[in-house]
Amino acid sequence: MDNCIFCKIIDHKQPAKIVYEDEQVVAIEDIRPQSPVHLLAMPRKHLPSLNDAEGSDATILGRLFTVAAHLARERQLESRGYRTVINNGPWAGQTVDHLHVHVLGGRVFHWPPG
Ligand code: AMP
Ligand code: ZN
């Protein structure tokens, strides 16, 4: 997608701190971190949101979460805990229309999230 900031990052046409890349998934550091660790795992495929995922995207969705868990383990977050979040649409606060999983860690998170 031409005007998608995350597609530009994935294509290395926009600077970002890329922390992971494979054939299907790219992960970056969030530019406005909300916790000591704040990463975004995204599919190379431009899916605007989870609402646009279909049955054929099941592998990609699985990869997103296994990469999220890998990144959390790399940062020693698994014993204390961490949060994975997908915001979907305006009421959930989605601001970038390219599906991404937030990986947040390094502090306590409360529930409900507000
Ligand atoms: P969401 O609000 O769930 O759509 O999440 C979008 C996230 O992308 C926010 O946490 C932003 O801080 C982050 N973000 C936006 N632009 C960039 C960028 N150029 N590089 C890294 N993170 C970004
Ligand atoms: Zn995109």
Side-chain angles (χ1 to χ4, degrees), residues 1-8 10 42-48 96-99:
M1 269 284 271
D2 283 352
N3 60 351
C4 171
I5 182 87
F6 285 177
C7 280
K8 285 181 185 153
I10 289 163
M42 60 193 73
R44 287 188 186 276
K45 177 179 176 181
H46 179 86
L47 287 169
V96 177
D97 291 336
H98 181 126
L99 175 63

Side-chain angles (χ1 to χ4, degrees), residues 9-112:
I9 288 172
I10 289 163
D11 292 340
H12 294 230
K13 289 177 180 155
Q14 166 85 23
K17 186 106 187 273
I18 294 178
V19 295
Y20 179 91
E21 282 188 274
D22 68 23
E23 327 74 57
Q24 288 183 313
V25 176
V26 173
I28 63 172
E29 288 191 356
D30 197 292
I31 204 166
R32 264 173 267 113
Q34 302 301 316
S35 49
V37 176
H38 189 171
L39 307 174
L40 304 171
M42 60 193 73
R44 287 188 186 276
K45 177 179 176 181
H46 179 86
L47 287 169
S49 83
L50 195 57
N51 299 322
D52 302 286
E54 297 176 341
S56 56
D57 297 311
T59 305
I60 289 175
L61 297 182
R63 286 295 300 152
L64 277 182
F65 281 100
T66 51
V67 168
H70 164 76
L71 294 169
R73 273 194 304 275
E74 252 186 4
R75 286 154 185 79
Q76 284 88 45
L77 296 176
E78 77 274 25
S79 60
R80 285 187 163 161
Y82 60 97
R83 188 164 285 179
T84 50
V85 174
I86 299 178
N87 294 319
N88 289 287
W91 278 28
Q94 183 177 5
T95 57
V96 177
D97 291 336
H98 181 126
L99 175 63
H100 50 281
V101 178
H102 295 256
V103 181
L104 299 143
R107 68 170 171 87
V108 173
F109 298 97
H110 298 288
W111 195 264

